Amino acid sequence: MLTSPMLSRPEQAIEHAREIIKQQLIIPLMEDLSGPVIEIQSTEHTPSFHYWNTPDAFLDQCDPVSYASVEELVGTSDFRPAQLAFWLFGPGWVAAPAEVHRFLSQSVVSGGAVVVACETPWSGKILPQGKFAEYTTEEVTAALVRAGFDELAELTGSPTFGLWQGTHQGNSARQQFLRAESLLAQGDWAGAETALMEISDRLGSIHAVREYALLVAAYHDLAGRLPEALAALSEALKLDPQCARAMCGLGRIAALNGDLQSAEEFFKAALDHQPALVAALYGRAAVCEAMNDLKGAFKFISTAAELRPHNASLIVELERLGLQTGCHGELSQFFLQHHGVTLSTAASLTTSPPTPTC
């Protein structure tokens, strides 16, 4: 039996899809392997790591050695990097998926494979209580490329989830990518600039060069060097004309320069390509507010908050705009749905540091 009778229908569907992927993709990938296999699962909002020394141990349904943290797994004396790692329908259920992608970059051998599955978000989708986020196709593939997995292939045309397989490149560029990304999240643009300038390996694909350009744009933006950020974003868009995150960056620069009409066009174009991209929704909300369209701003920030219901900065904006526009009912529904609290006690949710929206 593939699912527990206690699971909800969406959970049953996910569990069913997970088992099908294992049977039709994961197990056939093991036929030519002899090294370790890792499965990552997301349980109670934290990732857990299940390790088999050989594919045969997995195929024989031997109990894995399970670890509660990356440090615990990698720090064991008998740990060997895996030839195959897979994470099926887990990124949205953990608070910091970037940490898991960093783990994947450290724990898979050069030439090894990674398989990741994510549910497909859409604008206006309401997440179940307890889920942290859903990520667009572009966000998932970008995270894998930055972690050193290239030659990405999307293996499903399902409207409800995406499935990707990538190959570990094993070069030092991935380490600098991840370091730069982490430093940018901390606001250290100078450190991120140094990390990217230290990349000596040849970037192996257009996708990797695109990610490099986007990270360069981000540290120029944080440093207040908008012309340089604009040049890097334009280069990213030349490499990938459908790159919604580059469009968001151009929209942000246009808004900072006071060109609200161009900013709106860039953010709208980004949403045309990635309708559930939170950075673009946030940008459209900011432009609407600058144009004194508070109802429109609340609509876009509400959609963004539904996709990132635990993001403190989005919660602050949602509550502020909701109160200004008199949308108390919508606010109450959001806080009860995602946090199990009333509007009057929701202030405690905004005390944690804000997390990046893109």
Side-chain angles (χ1 to χ4, degrees):
M1 188 172 184
L2 297 180
T3 56
S4 163
M6 298 301 292
L7 296 177
S8 68
R9 286 185 179 180
E11 288 171 328
Q12 288 179 4
I14 290 172
E15 188 64 24
H16 183 69
R18 183 183 287 115
E19 291 302 321
I20 290 175
I21 293 169
K22 286 182 180 179
Q23 293 297 323
Q24 296 187 2
L25 176 61
I26 301 300
I27 290 176
L29 282 173
M30 294 183 185
E31 291 180 357
D32 299 323
L33 303 182
S34 59
V37 174
I38 295 174
E39 179 179 10
I40 302 167
Q41 295 182 356
S42 303
T43 306
E44 297 181 353
H45 300 165
T46 57
S48 57
F49 307 90
H50 307 287
Y51 183 86
W52 293 266
N53 274 312
T54 65
D56 287 341
F58 177 90
L59 295 172
D60 293 340
Q61 299 184 350
C62 297
D63 290 336
V65 181
S66 298
Y67 301 91
S69 70
V70 171
E71 293 76 17
E72 185 181 341
L73 171 57
V74 177
T76 58
S77 59
D78 57 349
F79 173 77
R80 292 182 298 144
Q83 287 186 301
L84 171 65
F86 58 98
W87 192 18
L88 306 180
F89 303 104
W93 292 94
V94 299
E99 293 179 5
V100 180
H101 289 121
R102 291 188 184 97
F103 159 73
L104 288 171
S105 73
Q106 299 166 1
S107 62
V108 177
V109 297
S110 178
V114 65
V115 175
V116 173
C118 279
E119 296 168 75
T120 302
W122 58 82
S123 184
K125 184 176 183 180
I126 297 176
L127 275 62
Q129 185 173 348
K131 191 170 188 180
F132 280 94
E134 285 195 351
Y135 299 98
T136 63
T137 298
E138 186 175 315
E139 289 171 309
V140 174
T141 55
L144 289 171
V145 170
R146 291 183 182 187
F149 295 95
D150 220 327
E151 300 178 15
L152 284 177
E154 188 169 5
L155 304 178
T156 179
S158 170
T160 59
F161 70 89
L163 177 66
W164 296 270
Q165 180 181 341
T167 302
H168 196 274
Q169 296 305 299
N171 58 35
S172 63
R174 63 182 173 84
Q175 298 174 351
Q176 299 304 92
F177 268 23
L178 292 171
R179 182 164 168 254
E181 189 176 43
S182 177
L183 290 167
L184 284 169
Q186 301 168 34
D188 184 357
W189 63 265
E193 183 175 22
T194 299
L196 291 177
M197 293 305 171
E198 289 176 354
I199 292 178
S200 58
D201 291 328
R202 183 176 179 180
L203 299 175
S205 71
I206 289 178
H207 298 301
V209 178
R210 177 197 66 195
E211 294 308 311
Y212 179 86
L214 287 169
L215 289 168
V216 168
Y219 73 64
H220 281 311
D221 190 346
L222 280 176
R225 302 191 292 247
L226 295 187
E228 290 84 353
L230 179 63
L233 289 167
S234 299
E235 184 63 27
L237 209 54
K238 288 179 184 177
L239 293 165
D240 181 1
Q242 295 186 340
C243 182
R245 289 167 300 143
M247 297 174 195
C248 283
L250 293 172
R252 169 179 158 76
I253 291 175
L256 289 173
N257 288 331
D259 187 353
L260 296 180
Q261 183 175 351
S262 293
E264 184 177 31
E265 291 172 357
F266 279 123
F267 289 128
K268 184 178 182 301
L271 291 171
D272 287 342
H273 291 289
Q274 298 283 320
L277 186 62
V278 168
L281 291 164
Y282 196 104
R284 287 215 70 182
V287 170
C288 283
E289 183 171 11
M291 293 178 170
N292 295 317
D293 178 11
L294 295 185
K295 286 284 188 180
F298 180 72
K299 180 188 75 171
F300 287 114
I301 212 70
S302 295
T303 303
E306 288 290 352
L307 294 164
R308 297 287 194 280
H310 295 269
N311 184 303
S313 59
L314 285 175
I315 292 174
V316 169
E317 291 300 292
L318 178 73
E319 186 171 7
R320 179 180 67 81
L321 289 167
L323 293 175
Q324 286 184 11
T325 53
C327 297
H328 298 84
E330 291 90 334
L331 284 177
S332 297
Q333 182 179 358
F334 173 86
F335 287 118
L336 284 172
Q337 168 73 24
H338 297 293
H339 301 281
V341 300
T342 63
L343 180 58
S344 61
T345 59
S348 62
L349 300 173
T350 63
T351 57
S352 59
T355 55
T357 57
C358 61

